[in-house]
Amino acid sequence: MSLSHRVPDLGALELLLAVARHGSLGRAAREVGITQPAASSRVRSMERQLGVALVDRSPRGSRLTAAGTLVTDWARRVVEAAEAFDAGAQALRDSRDSRLRVAASMTIAEYLLPRWLIALRAERPDTAVSLRAGNSTAVAAGLLAGEADLGYVEGLSVPDGLDAVVVGHDRLVVVAAPSHRWTQRRAPLTPAELAATPLILREYGSGTRQVLDSALAAHGGLADPLLELASTTAVKAAAVSGAGPAVLSELAVTEELSSRRLVEVPVEGVDLRRALRAVWPTGPRPTGPARDLLSLARGGS
């Protein structure tokens, strides 16, 4: 059932209550922050809308009519209910804004999110943030289960049931310890050579593995892994130890390449770039702290 067009808006009802308190249209206008002519116009409009006179105006002031007194009693209940509604809505916003649950794939969690969260802390010091790191498949599952408010993934596509926006880009690189024979090559690796070589890899479900599987599918697919590890840090450590070559995010190996604990091995003929995405359950875009973190990621990636 929709409200009748004869029901005044809250602003008009608040003005009528102010007239009842002050007995003066001028003082009522000042209380609600409008001019006296605007207040007079609003009262006349409300009287036309309701079809009854509400205020008697005279040089001695403004006095409610009998109908005006009755309408004022109703208006008081409506305004009180609106104030209770507003207070309840604010309580919901405060509860929402008091915490933020973030789920992120490993590379983003380790190498990008820390600075975004520091910036968020400066904007929202009272928001408690929890971060769950996992592979892209686990991030999607957590969002769909209601265990996170916002997620970040590195895969090729947006998981089913989620909406997304690109917040940055990344490139996978082939790396090896300086002692590995690939670091002495003059020519870049071919996609077939990379596909045929047992590598130190992230597990299935990780964004890194998805991108690499897709890129090499047309070249025979990946050989069985030399090692299959569940974190970027573990893959790096194995590669640095000389166990074998690995494929990792460029973001993850900046320090190791700079110190030459790892060496990048060029590859030609294969696209190892990928998009980094913020994701959330299909529907409205994030609000509150999640919206702010999303904005920081888009502006600071």
Side-chain angles (χ1 to χ4, degrees):
M1 176 180 174
S2 59
L3 288 174
S4 165
H5 69 281
R6 293 186 180 277
V7 176
D9 62 38
L10 283 173
L13 296 179
E14 287 176 324
L15 174 61
L16 185 63
L17 290 174
V19 172
R21 283 193 296 273
H22 295 292
S24 164
L25 196 58
R27 287 197 294 270
R30 286 194 294 274
E31 179 181 315
V32 300
I34 60 177
T35 65
Q36 182 167 339
S40 295
S41 176
R42 186 171 291 184
V43 169
R44 286 195 297 271
S45 176
M46 185 166 34
E47 289 174 329
R48 287 194 300 271
Q49 186 177 15
L50 292 173
V52 294
L54 300 173
V55 178
D56 281 334
R57 302 162 185 82
S58 72
R60 295 187 302 276
S62 299
R63 181 175 60 85
L64 296 178
T65 65
T69 300
L70 184 58
V71 170
T72 299
D73 287 339
W74 297 336
R76 185 172 292 107
R77 291 179 230 166
V78 172
V79 171
E80 288 173 352
E83 289 172 346
F85 181 93
D86 186 44
Q90 183 61 51
L92 288 175
R93 289 191 293 271
D94 291 343
S95 175
R96 176 205 65 191
D97 294 352
S98 68
R99 67 169 187 169
L100 173 62
R101 301 168 301 164
V102 182
S105 52
M106 291 293 188
T107 299
I108 296 176
E110 292 184 49
Y111 301 102
L112 292 176
L113 258 173
R115 74 168 184 265
W116 299 342
L117 293 178
I118 289 170
L120 181 68
R121 178 73 175 174
E123 292 187 6
R124 289 184 174 269
D126 296 328
T127 298
V129 180
S130 62
L131 172 60
R132 176 187 296 183
N135 62 39
S136 294
T137 299
V139 169
L143 284 166
L144 294 173
E147 297 168 354
D149 306 305
L150 185 66
Y152 292 92
V153 296
E154 308 155 8
L156 288 171
S157 59
V158 180
D160 291 340
L162 301 181
D163 286 339
V165 64
V166 173
V167 298
H169 294 86
D170 184 26
R171 181 175 70 98
L172 300 185
V173 293
V174 180
V175 294
S179 59
H180 193 274
R181 59 184 175 82
W182 278 358
T183 65
Q184 310 304 316
R185 290 175 61 104
R186 294 181 179 273
L189 285 171
T190 67
E193 287 178 295
L194 182 61
T197 302
L199 302 170
I200 304 169
L201 297 174
R202 286 287 309 279
E203 79 287 3
Y204 281 110
S206 74
T208 299
R209 185 67 172 269
Q210 290 173 17
V211 171
L212 190 59
D213 278 338
S214 177
L216 296 180
H219 303 282
L222 280 169
D224 289 339
L226 179 66
L227 292 171
E228 190 174 71
L229 303 171
S231 76
T232 299
T233 301
V235 173
K236 279 199 301 184
V240 168
S241 74
V247 180
L248 287 166
S249 162
E250 188 174 31
L251 293 169
V253 293
T254 301
E255 182 182 339
E256 288 76 13
L257 293 176
S258 177
S259 64
R260 287 198 59 81
R261 286 184 291 158
L262 289 174
V263 177
E264 181 179 351
V265 181
V267 184
E268 65 178 7
V270 65
D271 186 4
L272 294 178
R273 294 171 299 174
R274 61 180 177 178
L276 307 177
R277 295 179 174 89
V279 290
W280 60 90
T282 298
R285 289 176 71 90
T287 59
R291 175 199 59 214
D292 293 347
L293 182 59
L294 176 57
S295 177
L296 288 167
R298 297 186 72 181
S301 57

